[in-house]
């Protein structure tokens, strides 16, 4: 059920969006009626269910809580009231977070390619969910309320500890007065190999915000447009020209020795007489460096910004003496190990959450 309002050019509107994977609603910046091409907005109300037609296939569904009551969305976000005679709202609030439901929506989406798939209202409303009697719904909701609140508390604490770790890193690196351009310690060191059609290649990418390298699926030479790959070596500095501005930087760990990347990922040797490799590993994760590179991109629009090699190397970074670098690196490594342990625990908690939902909606809770 949509609460549609006509848009007036002179008025301002609080706008909402929906995170994928049922992670909730978020506020977008206010806009004036003159800034949008839409003629009407839907007003969302507490207790409703709202979803994104464009991203419903990846779980962009949400229950409207009191803090988002009265916000506006476009017609691309259908909204629905919950019938209290047939469904307990708290039960539905958990159902819409269930990965099995998201999977069923992805199978029924229409359009070519993942970014063009749409979940139309007919498909959304025809999705099958387990719906026992109201007493059973309330019983299941009671149990899930308790369990999910504890999981949410853990996630909040985990995020808080991550922020503290980042603040600690910033407190160690930002006050350093001794700064030098990266060219002082990095020298380009590509190891290009010709791509053979019959060969298999282990390839990698770099996560943004300094989160390191990740492995891509194995690819055969005849599946790629590239005629050459750059081969990584442990201890090198590597970055993405395309996403360097958002922190896609890393020092290559030993388990990525020999992995391949495209020419869009320049690699550099680190001068160990001037820079400690462990220190440089942390520097690649530092938000201060990522922020400096945001102004180094070329091109129009965020997705077209590229950080070329010359601009990367000209970027000044804190570079104290080797002894001081090692002292700082030792402290940051201890913090890093603690946060990595927390990340492993968070992955287990995510699996537990899914298992609880599966149990709840299969009559096993």
């Amino acid at each position: 059920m949509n609460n549609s309002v006509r848009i007036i050019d002179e008025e301002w509107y609080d706008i909402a969006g929906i995170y994928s994977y049922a992670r909730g609603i978020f506020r977008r910046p206010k806009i004036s009626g003159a800034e949008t091409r839409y003629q009407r907005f839907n007003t969302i109300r507490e207790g409703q269910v709202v979803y994104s037609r464009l991203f419903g296939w990846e779980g962009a569904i949400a229950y409207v809580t009191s803090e988002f009551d009265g916000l506006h969305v476009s017609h691309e976000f259908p909204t629905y009231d919950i019938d209290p005679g047939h469904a307990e709202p708290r039960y539905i609030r958990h159902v819409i977070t269930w990965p099995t439901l998201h999977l069923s929506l992805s199978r029924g989406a229409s359009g070519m390619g993942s970014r063009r798939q749409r979940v139309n209202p007919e498909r959304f409303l025809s999705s099958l969910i387990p719906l026992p009697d109201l007493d059973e719904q309330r019983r299941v909701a009671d149990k899930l309320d308790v369990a999910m609140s504890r999981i949410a508390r853990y996630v909040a604490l985990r995020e808080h500890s991550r922020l503290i770790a980042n603040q600690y890193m910033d407190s160690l690196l930002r006050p350093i007065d001794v700064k030098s351009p990266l060219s002082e310690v990095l020298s380009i060191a590509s190891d290009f190999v010709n791509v053979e059609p019959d060969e298999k290649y282990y390839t990698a990418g770099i996560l943004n915000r300094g989160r390191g390298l990740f492995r891509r699926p194995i690819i055969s030479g005849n599946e790629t447009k590239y005629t050459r790959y750059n081969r990584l070596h442990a201890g090198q500095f590597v970055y993405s020209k395309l996403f360097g501005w958002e922190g896609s930087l890393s020092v290559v760990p030993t388990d990525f020795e020999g992995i391949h990347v495209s020419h869009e990922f320049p690699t550099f040797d680190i001068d160990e007489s001037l820079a400690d490799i462990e220190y440089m590993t942390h520097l690649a994760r530092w938000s201060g460096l990522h922020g400096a590179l945001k102004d180094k991109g070329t091109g129009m629009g965020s997705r077209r910004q590229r950080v070329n090699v010359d601009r990367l190397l000209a970027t000044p970074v804190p570079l104290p003496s080797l002894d001081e670098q090692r002292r700082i690196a030792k402290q940051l490594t201890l913090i890093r190990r603690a946060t990595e342990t927390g990340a492993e625990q968070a992955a287990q908690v995510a699996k537990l959450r899914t298992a609880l939902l599966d149990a709840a909606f299969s009559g096993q809770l």
Side-chain angles (χ1 to χ4, degrees):
M1 174 179 159
N2 295 334
N3 300 311
S4 180
V5 296
R6 186 171 64 86
I7 296 171
I8 300 172
D9 286 354
E10 296 78 16
E11 293 193 6
W12 288 83
Y13 297 88
D14 291 302
I15 305 299
I18 306 177
Y19 289 116
S20 294
Y21 311 111
R23 290 178 295 140
I25 298 172
F26 64 93
R27 287 178 179 266
R28 295 186 184 276
K30 277 188 177 184
I31 64 169
S32 70
E35 292 179 279
T36 179
R37 61 183 175 83
Y38 295 116
Q39 295 182 337
R40 306 188 74 84
F41 278 141
N42 292 334
T43 305
I44 59 176
R45 293 300 180 188
E46 181 181 0
Q48 290 181 327
V49 170
V50 57
Y51 84 98
S52 165
R53 287 200 283 194
L54 189 57
F55 295 107
W57 61 273
E58 63 176 12
I61 314 168
Y63 179 90
V64 183
T65 56
S66 59
E67 63 186 301
F68 299 108
D69 182 76
L71 268 61
H72 298 91
V73 293
S74 77
H75 68 274
E76 292 286 359
F77 297 82
T79 57
Y80 301 94
D81 292 331
I82 298 171
D83 180 355
H86 291 87
E88 163 61 44
R90 292 180 300 119
Y91 180 87
I92 297 299
R93 187 174 180 177
H94 291 297
V95 165
I96 63 175
T97 70
W98 190 26
T100 298
L101 173 61
H102 307 161
L103 181 60
S104 71
L105 290 172
S106 70
R107 289 171 176 164
S110 61
M112 297 293 292
S114 64
R115 292 295 165 189
R116 294 184 182 179
Q117 294 184 44
R118 288 176 179 269
V119 177
N120 61 46
E122 292 77 16
R123 172 58 188 164
F124 181 76
L125 292 174
S126 66
S127 297
L128 298 178
I129 61 169
L131 198 67
D133 62 57
L134 282 170
D135 286 341
E136 177 63 7
Q137 290 181 44
R138 294 182 186 114
R139 186 192 70 81
V140 170
D142 287 342
K143 288 183 174 293
L144 287 177
D145 283 348
V146 172
M148 296 306 172
S149 66
R150 290 175 180 172
I151 288 176
R153 175 63 176 163
Y154 170 81
V155 171
L157 290 172
R158 164 89 181 97
E159 176 63 14
H160 184 63
S161 67
R162 186 188 68 80
L163 291 173
I164 290 174
N166 288 341
Q167 290 169 0
Y168 182 66
M169 175 185 286
D170 201 57
S171 72
L172 291 180
L173 295 176
R174 197 171 293 278
I176 296 173
D177 293 328
V178 181
K179 291 183 171 63
S180 299
L182 280 168
S183 59
E184 291 290 314
V185 295
L186 299 182
S187 57
I188 193 78
S190 301
D191 181 13
F192 286 112
V193 296
N194 292 326
V195 174
E196 301 295 337
D198 298 329
E199 292 290 327
K200 299 288 186 182
Y201 295 90
Y202 291 86
T203 59
I206 310 178
L207 296 169
N208 62 5
R209 294 186 285 120
R211 291 177 295 153
L213 289 158
F214 67 94
R215 291 179 182 268
R216 297 185 185 276
I218 298 172
I219 189 171
S220 65
N222 60 14
E223 293 178 296
T224 179
K225 64 179 181 179
Y226 296 114
T227 58
R228 294 195 305 168
Y229 273 138
N230 187 12
R231 187 160 47 195
L232 299 176
H233 296 290
Q236 288 182 325
F237 189 97
V238 60
Y239 84 104
S240 164
K241 286 183 183 178
L242 190 57
F243 296 110
W245 62 274
E246 60 178 18
S248 291
L249 325 166
S250 182
V251 171
V252 180
T254 55
D255 55 335
F256 280 82
E257 171 69 36
I259 302 296
H260 299 89
V261 292
S262 77
H263 65 277
E264 294 284 1
F265 297 83
T267 48
F268 306 83
D269 285 337
I270 298 172
D271 185 346
E272 295 185 60
S273 68
L274 297 172
D276 178 70
I277 288 181
E278 188 177 359
Y279 177 84
M280 293 298 293
T281 298
H282 292 294
L283 199 62
R285 296 168 176 154
W286 181 42
S287 61
L289 176 55
H290 307 162
L293 290 174
K294 283 184 179 178
D295 298 326
K296 304 292 182 182
T298 60
M300 297 293 290
S302 65
R303 291 296 165 187
R304 294 185 182 180
Q305 292 186 41
R306 288 176 179 266
V307 178
N308 64 39
V309 169
D310 290 341
R311 292 196 177 198
L312 174 83
L313 293 177
T315 303
V317 296
L319 206 69
S321 67
L322 274 174
D323 285 344
E324 181 64 4
Q325 288 179 45
R326 290 170 183 141
R327 184 190 70 81
I328 292 171
K330 184 177 180 181
Q331 293 182 54
L332 292 178
T333 297
L334 289 173
I335 297 293
R336 180 73 181 179
R337 286 174 181 163
T339 57
E340 285 175 347
T341 299
E344 293 171 3
Q345 293 172 345
Q348 294 300 317
V349 167
K351 290 179 181 178
L352 173 62
R353 179 183 171 279
T354 298
L356 282 169
L357 293 171
D358 286 341
F361 302 129
S362 62
Q364 301 176 39
L365 188 63

